[in-house]
Amino acid sequence: FPVTIGSTAATTAATTKANKPKTETSDNKSFPVDISADQLISQTKGGQSEYRGNVVLERNKLTLQGNSLKIIHPGDKLQQATMSGSPAKFKDYLPKKQQWVNGEAKNIVFQQDKDTVTLTENAYIIMDNGNKINADKIVIYNKDETFEAFGSKQTGRVKMTIQPEKD
């Protein structure tokens, strides 16, 4: 069932999509979080929940998909969401670059306070223009739309492909 995390909705309340239109901003803090899954496994008064089975988390233009999701939401305010899958998938719009970025990894963590998305274990992202990064860990800084990638302990390598400009 869908669940919305935000200042106006209880975490267990079934909801529909927010009436607020999606905008061209990377400031996700002003938008509610919609979660749908086959099952809500646990929800504690301390602000932690776990969802399993075909999990989808959406906030503005950010979408995470995977097999399971653990969220930390003290006081009904999203702090962190960790999506796991084989692979977990990620999609977001970068308004300054005017491009979508898609990615996959075993684990994807969205941190609200830092406004980052971190992909770990076989991480891969690709932009609309075809530029791509493969690494063990990729951090996307949404506010300034920059990336940081780290190689694995075995190889220590990061692979990036930059496409030529099109005329």
Side-chain angles (χ1 to χ4, degrees), residues 2 5 11 26 31 35-36 44-45 57 81 87 109 111 115 141 150 155 159:
I5 306 295
T11 52
S26 60
F31 292 90
I35 302 169
S36 62
T44 63
K45 291 180 182 179
L57 178 148
V109 178
Q111 289 188 292
D115 199 13
Y141 300 94
F150 304 89
T155 65
K159 181 178 178 184

Side-chain angles (χ1 to χ4, degrees), residues 14-131:
T15 65
T16 59
K17 291 282 184 203
N19 293 330
K20 208 171 203 181
K22 294 184 177 189
T23 64
E24 299 298 314
T25 178
S26 60
D27 180 16
N28 285 314
K29 294 178 184 179
S30 60
F31 292 90
V33 174
D34 294 309
I35 302 169
S36 62
D38 293 340
Q39 192 175 25
L40 171 60
I41 299 300
S42 65
Q43 185 168 5
T44 63
K45 291 180 182 179
Q48 295 185 13
S49 300
E50 184 175 350
Y51 304 83
R52 290 197 182 156
N54 302 308
V55 184
V56 178
L57 178 148
E58 293 178 307
R59 175 176 239 177
N60 192 18
K61 293 187 177 191
L62 170 69
T63 302
L64 302 178
Q65 295 177 301
N67 300 334
S68 67
L69 173 69
K70 292 181 182 178
I71 62 170
I72 300 171
H73 52 90
D76 262 355
K77 298 202 187 290
L78 180 66
Q79 189 174 68
Q80 179 174 300
T82 303
M83 184 72 74
S84 298
S86 300
K89 297 182 180 186
F90 153 82
K91 181 177 182 177
D92 200 5
Y93 185 73
L94 304 176
K96 294 176 190 171
K97 295 184 186 305
Q98 296 184 345
Q99 290 191 57
W100 286 95
V101 59
N102 292 278
E104 295 182 354
K106 184 174 180 184
N107 298 297
I108 302 174
V109 178
F110 173 70
Q111 289 188 292
Q112 175 67 35
D113 58 338
K114 296 178 182 178
D115 199 13
T116 60
V117 176
T118 303
L119 295 85
T120 57
E121 296 186 52
N122 297 317
Y124 172 86
I125 62 171
I126 186 165
M127 306 285 292
D128 280 346
N129 63 7
N131 292 349

Side-chain angles (χ1 to χ4, degrees), residues 145-157:
E145 297 183 7
T146 59
F147 309 95
E148 193 171 16
F150 304 89
S152 68
K153 291 180 182 175
Q154 291 101 355
T155 65
R157 309 288 288 169

